[in-house]
Amino acid sequence: MESGGMRKNSTLICVPIMGETIEKMVVDMSKAKTSGADLVEVRLDTLKRFNPRQDLEVLIRKCPLPTLFTYRPKWEGGQYEGDENSRRDALRLAMELGADYVDIELKVAHEFINSIHGRKPEKFKVIVSSHNYQNTPSVEDLGNLVVSIQATGADIVKIATTALEITDVARIFQITVHSQVPVIGLVMGERGLISRILCPKFGGYLTFGSLEPGIVSAPGQPTIKDLLNLYNFRQLGPDTKVFGVIGKPVSHSKSPHLYNEAFKSVGFNGVYVHLLVDDIAKFFHTYSAADFAGFSCTIPHKEAALKCCDEVNPVAKSIGAVNCIIRRPSDGKLFGYNTDYVGAISAIEDGLRDSHKISSTSGSPLAGKLFVVIGAGGAGKALAYGAKEKGARVVIANRTYARARELADAVGGDALSLADLNNFHPENGMILANTTSIGMQPKVDETPISKDALKYYSLVFDAIYTPKITRLLREAQESGATIVTGLEMFIGQAYEQFERFTGLPAPKEQFKQFISNLQ
């Protein structure tokens, strides 16, 4: 059911009803009502058998919500292959029997609207639709399309296009926000998903949400459950700030679940979405409004994102990658940060403070410590720079010594080959951080260091969080070391991003709860 109190927008949520039988449609109509829908779209072209007068009477009488009837022909992407006059007769009959809306295709709209002239019930509205399954035209062409649709006498304009890249959606937003008539503007495909979520921000008349994942009337449709509960659809409005995770692929990311829940709990007017981006420079250039306020950045865009920023935090610059970008409201400039290392370093500092009962006011507990990083890739780099910034003495251990040496030289530390790590113990109470995939599922019985060598370390961190407790962490714990898991790093970087996004303290308990629910 719906969450989040009063509605802040008038955009409707319509559930497509695509049963093969009248009985199935009637069942789905009640489900749509229970799910929180405002209306249903009855797709007559999905019925296996259709007796217009009898069936339309039943559907309209038994529907607990307002009805929109669509009888989509094959030539506009639907399933109807019969006689055109019979199709239009059925839609006219739906109007006469009390339907609230019908959808008619632009190609035949003039004739249809002329045929009902003078017979149209007061509350009844005609949606005239145009579907483009190839691409999204230019703003000029879209503007002309709106004019042609209006010229038919349409009450509501519906334009559905196809996203070849996410920047295509901006043109539909532009048309929707500037239109003087009600517009349903949707962009199909995964790259068009934000058109379906953000339409209340831009004044769209309605969006579609399916009852079940995968059973959709057009590609890229979200479920009504996600619209209401994940994206807090009823709370979105013109002032809502947009955040998101930029990646390719990106649909697997749990970040929208984490941040939207947190935004809701602190009453922050923001929404966090998946952004499937092909060209990140073009993305930032297209979505340059201040309301596109902040982004998490993941594979493969972290290095390219750095080049798009106007200013980059010095540590992120040294690492050569950003994973968090904030747009400054005053001038639209992009600021890049790397919170990956912050997450890991602060989790390690917290672990040291807890185990040594140190107060958080007395500087970093890493200062002066010998900090051994296993791995010289992106995460190794981030941890090495982060530890160095806190005053630790850094040692890099890597399978190939040359790469360890290169990173050690860059941070002013020492280098070892991984093979020599077991015999390296110049002092007790060292810190160990594994940033490689050694010990990750499915190879959970692997570890980068022998158990015997772990007695020289007071704290051991592993960036892996599948499994949560790796063999390295288990053996470290058995050897008496404090352990810090990869999940704590994920949470730590999320705290910092949340605070940069909102200017508010992160709801840490809620984040921890979210992570434990993922276990």
Side-chain angles (χ1 to χ4, degrees):
M1 284 304 290
E2 273 174 60
S3 47
M6 290 291 290
R7 289 172 72 140
K8 298 214 178 118
N9 64 69
S10 60
T11 303
L12 304 173
I13 299 180
C14 180
V15 167
I17 303 290
M18 301 183 302
E20 293 188 347
T21 65
I22 298 296
E23 293 69 28
K24 172 82 166 91
M25 284 188 164
V26 169
V27 168
D28 285 349
M29 286 169 167
S30 320
K31 284 185 184 165
K33 166 89 172 162
T34 312
S35 302
D38 297 301
L39 72 157
V40 294
E41 178 187 37
V42 182
R43 284 292 298 262
L44 296 173
D45 52 306
T46 64
L47 285 167
K48 285 283 178 254
R49 275 194 304 282
F50 178 44
N51 176 336
R53 177 162 290 277
Q54 190 183 320
D55 292 345
L56 289 169
E57 269 181 354
V58 170
L59 290 167
I60 292 167
R61 190 176 71 246
K62 294 203 169 171
C63 189
L65 290 168
T67 51
L68 153 59
F69 282 89
T70 301
Y71 203 178
R72 191 77 72 222
K74 212 55 174 222
W75 48 262
E76 187 87 2
Q79 296 180 33
Y80 180 76
E81 292 184 271
D83 170 62
E84 183 58 24
N85 288 328
S86 311
R87 185 177 80 88
R88 288 187 236 165
D89 287 344
L91 291 172
R92 275 189 289 269
L93 185 56
M95 173 190 84
E96 286 160 14
L97 293 172
D100 298 275
Y101 305 83
V102 300
D103 173 318
I104 189 80
E105 301 73 23
L106 173 58
K107 204 172 173 180
V108 296
H110 264 291
E111 295 159 65
F112 180 81
I113 291 172
N114 288 342
S115 77
I116 59 169
H117 185 66
R119 295 160 52 196
K120 203 174 145 202
E122 200 182 328
K123 64 158 195 158
F124 173 77
K125 290 187 167 53
V126 178
I127 298 170
V128 173
S129 62
S130 162
H131 298 77
N132 179 330
Y133 294 96
Q134 275 68 52
N135 57 26
T136 299
S138 67
V139 168
E140 191 183 352
D141 288 350
L142 288 169
N144 292 335
L145 183 57
V146 171
V147 171
S148 340
I149 292 177
Q150 278 182 269
T152 64
D155 298 300
I156 298 162
V157 170
K158 178 186 174 188
I159 297 174
T161 64
T162 299
L164 301 180
E165 45 189 338
I166 197 168
T167 47
D168 295 344
V169 182
R171 302 198 286 282
I172 287 287
F173 287 154
Q174 207 175 325
I175 289 294
T176 308
V177 85
H178 293 301
S179 176
Q180 302 306 303
V181 288
V183 172
I184 302 166
L186 300 170
V187 188
M188 298 180 278
E190 191 186 343
R191 288 168 175 79
L193 176 63
I194 57 171
S195 71
R196 300 171 176 282
I197 298 164
L198 299 180
C199 45
K201 179 173 175 60
F202 298 100
Y205 186 78
L206 68 71
T207 194
F208 293 92
S210 66
L211 281 179
E212 305 288 336
I215 304 174
V216 297
S217 59
Q221 219 169 64
T223 61
I224 181 166
K225 184 175 169 220
D226 278 354
L227 285 172
L228 291 172
N229 301 334
L230 169 55
Y231 300 113
N232 307 320
F233 189 86
R234 302 295 193 203
Q235 304 304 303
L236 309 183
D239 303 331
T240 301
K241 299 248 178 293
V242 180
F243 302 87
V245 54
I246 295 172
K248 184 184 177 183
V250 79
S251 60
H252 63 279
S253 171
K254 294 277 183 253
S255 295
H257 297 264
L258 179 74
Y259 290 106
N260 285 320
E261 207 173 289
F263 289 167
K264 186 166 28 176
S265 76
V266 301
F268 178 75
N269 186 10
V271 62
Y272 189 105
V273 293
H274 291 105
L275 300 164
L276 177 58
V277 171
D278 299 283
D279 177 336
I280 194 167
K282 189 175 178 184
F283 172 83
F284 285 127
H285 179 71
T286 304
Y287 295 100
S288 57
D291 277 3
F292 284 82
F295 309 93
S296 312
C297 198
T298 186
I299 295 163
H301 295 305
K302 290 187 184 193
E303 286 76 20
L306 184 139
K307 297 185 181 72
C308 299
C309 294
D310 298 293
E311 287 186 33
V312 177
N313 165 282
V315 178
K317 196 173 273 180
S318 310
I319 295 165
V322 299
N323 74 321
C324 176
I325 296 164
I326 304 296
R327 180 170 268 124
R328 189 163 63 188
S330 57
D331 56 8
K333 281 194 164 27
L334 295 174
F335 285 73
Y337 302 90
N338 191 307
T339 67
D340 280 338
Y341 89 90
V342 179
I345 295 293
S346 54
I348 291 167
E349 286 180 324
D350 289 347
L352 284 171
R353 287 196 186 103
D354 291 349
S355 61
H356 294 79
K357 306 285 179 280
I358 309 168
S359 88
S360 53
T361 50
S362 55
S364 173
L366 285 173
K369 290 270 192 209
L370 197 60
F371 192 106
V372 179
V373 178
I374 304 175
K381 234 178 186 176
L383 268 137
Y385 279 103
K388 169 80 176 168
E389 192 191 39
K390 297 292 186 179
R393 294 167 293 137
V394 177
V395 176
I396 312 294
N398 196 53
R399 274 184 176 144
T400 51
Y401 176 78
R403 286 200 65 194
R405 183 73 270 161
E406 191 186 337
L407 178 53
D409 288 347
V411 296
D414 288 320
L416 288 176
S417 103
L418 186 56
D420 297 331
L421 186 59
N422 286 340
N423 302 317
F424 176 77
H425 35 81
E427 58 189 71
N428 289 328
M430 300 187 289
I431 313 291
L432 182 67
N434 175 41
T435 68
T436 71
S437 58
I438 300 170
M440 187 168 159
Q441 275 170 0
K443 299 182 178 175
V444 295
D445 51 351
E446 291 185 0
T447 180
I449 186 172
S450 73
K451 184 174 180 180
D452 192 49
L454 289 170
K455 59 176 178 279
Y456 300 103
Y457 295 88
S458 62
L459 181 142
V460 176
F461 163 78
D462 200 334
I464 294 166
Y465 58 85
T466 51
K468 183 181 175 186
I469 303 293
T470 54
R471 178 179 167 191
L472 169 65
L473 292 181
R474 190 177 66 248
E475 293 183 347
Q477 203 165 26
E478 288 163 3
S479 307
T482 300
I483 63 165
V484 176
T485 72
L487 277 173
E488 290 166 69
M489 166 179 162
F490 173 76
I491 275 220
Q493 61 87 26
Y495 289 159
E496 173 155 343
Q497 289 205 35
F498 181 88
E499 291 175 4
R500 289 195 185 279
F501 289 161
T502 63
L504 301 167
K508 294 191 174 180
E509 286 314 308
Q510 188 182 349
F511 276 21
K512 284 180 183 155
Q513 187 57 50
F514 178 84
I515 292 297
S516 63
N517 292 345
L518 287 182
Q519 295 300 292

